[in-house]
Amino acid sequence: VCFRSLATQLIKACIENNNFDNLPELISITDYETLKKDVFKKMSLEDFLKNSFLGENVNKDLVLNLSKAIGRDTEIALCNILVSIEKDDFDSYRKRQTIAIILKDIGINSEDFLIKNLSSDKNEVILNSLEALSEIGKDKSIPSIETLLNSTDEKIKKRVKITLEKIKKKIKK
């Protein structure tokens, strides 16, 4: 208990000083409930991830370690962040790509969440989901993606074709 308390205090200090080097070890010492109560406070995990680790440069190792300590809630928060990115510039693309790779590395199946988002009424959500599925999608996502080939939006059609091509290429390997 004493080590957890000390680890929690050190985590807070590291985050406040933007020094993330020792966080993976510290996070492994504490537990999610303590992190929520003492570090996140009233901030949601999603906001915490956005503000702390998913800024200009995504700290992939740190997010992976955080996900080990927290579990499925990290996956849900990352998926929500991924589909909510509205900009279509290179930095946003890189962030979406990195989050998709993190989701893949976590080893938890986010594919179902992303497939559900293909029926969103927001084009950005659909495009972001397609982009992530091109990284982590498997054959089960193909039928849902193919339904978007009839979309009236040219950006969506183009992204659908790219996504299908990437997934089918991975399946053949």
Side-chain angles (χ1 to χ4, degrees):
V1 176
C2 184
F3 285 122
R4 283 187 182 161
S5 178
L6 180 59
T8 303
Q9 295 305 314
L10 289 170
I11 290 169
K12 287 186 344 191
C14 287
I15 291 168
E16 287 169 7
N17 294 309
N18 289 322
N19 181 355
F20 304 124
D21 295 340
N22 297 313
L23 275 181
E25 295 87 18
L26 293 170
I27 288 170
S28 69
I29 294 170
T30 190
D31 62 282
Y32 183 37
E33 292 307 315
T34 304
L35 287 172
K36 278 197 309 191
K37 186 178 68 144
D38 296 337
V39 179
F40 304 158
K41 299 199 176 169
K42 293 184 183 196
M43 188 183 303
S44 71
L45 176 59
E46 202 171 305
D47 288 337
F48 179 75
L49 285 167
K50 264 193 245 184
N51 296 338
S52 302
F53 312 123
L54 301 175
E56 292 294 313
N57 299 310
V58 178
N59 191 328
K60 182 181 167 193
D61 291 334
L62 186 53
V63 176
L64 286 172
N65 280 290
L66 191 61
S67 76
K68 287 177 191 169
I70 294 173
R72 182 148 171 80
D73 285 354
T74 306
E75 174 201 8
I76 293 166
L78 288 171
C79 284
N80 285 330
I81 293 167
L82 188 143
V83 299
S84 69
I85 298 171
E86 292 185 11
K87 291 183 181 175
D88 200 21
D89 57 13
F90 182 72
D91 288 337
S92 299
Y93 166 79
R94 242 182 29 178
K95 188 181 286 188
R96 285 189 298 270
Q97 193 81 0
T98 304
I99 293 171
I101 291 167
I102 290 170
L103 288 168
K104 186 177 179 180
D105 289 350
I106 289 173
I108 302 171
N109 188 356
S110 306
E111 191 173 14
D112 292 334
F113 176 87
L114 296 168
I115 289 170
K116 281 185 206 168
N117 279 303
L118 294 176
S119 59
S120 172
D121 57 349
K122 295 181 179 179
N123 284 356
E124 302 86 31
V125 171
I126 295 169
L127 291 166
N128 291 343
S129 296
L130 285 167
E131 194 170 303
L133 284 167
S134 72
E135 287 297 318
I136 65 173
K138 296 181 176 101
D139 54 349
K140 84 175 196 176
S141 62
I142 291 175
S144 299
I145 295 169
E146 285 176 335
T147 62
L148 294 171
L149 284 168
N150 299 324
S151 174
T152 55
D153 187 286
E154 289 303 315
K155 272 184 157 181
I156 290 176
K157 278 187 191 177
K158 184 178 179 181
R159 185 83 45 94
V160 164
K161 291 174 184 172
I162 292 168
T163 302
L164 288 171
E165 188 178 304
K166 284 178 127 182
I167 291 172
K168 289 176 181 177
K169 189 187 245 183
K170 282 189 295 186
I171 292 170
K172 285 182 182 178
K173 288 183 180 180

